[in-house]
């Protein structure tokens, strides 16, 4: 999983492409930015989808569209206002940028569903429970 963005001052597409080229099994997920809901963010998310396809996890849209459903809680009026503007709901944040426990829990659940849809769990099970014999190489 590769999650860079807000603290890195936005997407670094060439940097991400370089990282991905070095992943031998091509099993990766790139998590999108969450702080901004501007036209620039939407355009960057489109670049992420076009460049990485199903490997791109649109964190912002996943959170604003699905977090409260997977957590089983109701958004506040302020949350709804922010969500309608394409922004992160404040009740899932610890500050303007970072998530709180519920925010990270929602991302974990949503990301696990995404990873499952990519069929990575079977690969992870084989890698973790049947590791290659590297000692006798």
């Amino acid at each position: 999983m590769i999650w860079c963005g807000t603290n890195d001052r936005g997407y670094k597409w060439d940097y991400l492409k370089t990282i991905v080229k070095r992943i031998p099994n091509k099993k990766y997920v790139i998590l999108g930015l969450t702080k901004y809901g501007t036209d620039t963010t939407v355009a960057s998310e489109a670049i992420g989808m076009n460049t990485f396809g199903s490997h791109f996890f649109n964190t912002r849209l996943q959170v604003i569209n699905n977090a409260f459903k997977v957590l089983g809680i109701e958004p506040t009026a302020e949350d709804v206002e922010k969500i309608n503007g394409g922004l992160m709901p404040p009740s899932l944040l610890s500050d303007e940028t970072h998530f709180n426990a519920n925010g990270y829990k929602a991302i974990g659940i949503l990301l696990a569903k995404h990873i499952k849809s990519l069929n990575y769990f079977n690969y992870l099970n084989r890698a973790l429970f049947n590791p290659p014999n590297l000692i006798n190489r």
Side-chain angles (χ1 to χ4, degrees):
M1 275 176 262
I2 305 164
W3 197 357
C4 67
T6 303
N7 291 337
D8 298 310
R9 309 274 192 278
Y11 293 107
K12 308 288 189 217
W13 297 118
D14 290 336
Y15 177 66
L16 291 171
K17 288 177 192 175
T18 300
I19 292 171
V20 167
K21 282 181 190 174
R22 294 175 185 219
I23 299 172
N25 61 22
K26 301 303 176 208
K27 296 193 182 313
Y28 65 91
V29 176
I30 295 177
L31 286 80
L33 293 174
T34 58
K35 185 171 180 183
Y36 309 106
T38 64
D39 292 341
T40 303
T41 302
V42 173
S44 290
E45 290 166 346
I47 292 169
M49 286 301 298
N50 290 333
T51 304
F52 300 106
S54 62
H55 297 280
F56 183 76
F57 179 79
N58 192 327
T59 313
R60 184 183 66 85
L61 287 181
Q62 285 290 327
V63 169
I64 65 176
N65 291 327
N66 302 308
F68 290 100
K69 292 175 205 157
V70 299
L71 292 172
I73 59 176
E74 291 295 320
T76 66
E78 186 180 8
D79 290 333
V80 172
E81 180 183 332
K82 295 290 186 180
I83 288 168
N84 288 340
L87 300 171
M88 288 294 103
S91 68
L92 299 181
L93 299 173
S94 63
D95 59 30
E96 290 183 5
T97 303
H98 302 97
F99 291 95
N100 61 24
N102 273 339
Y104 284 117
K105 180 179 179 181
I107 290 170
I109 293 167
L110 295 166
L111 188 55
K113 289 180 178 196
H114 183 75
I115 291 168
K116 185 176 180 183
S117 76
L118 295 172
N119 201 28
Y120 287 0
F121 284 129
N122 290 336
Y123 171 79
L124 289 172
N125 282 334
R126 285 192 308 274
L128 292 172
F129 300 109
N130 297 307
N133 185 349
L134 300 176
I135 297 171
N136 296 320
R137 284 191 174 193

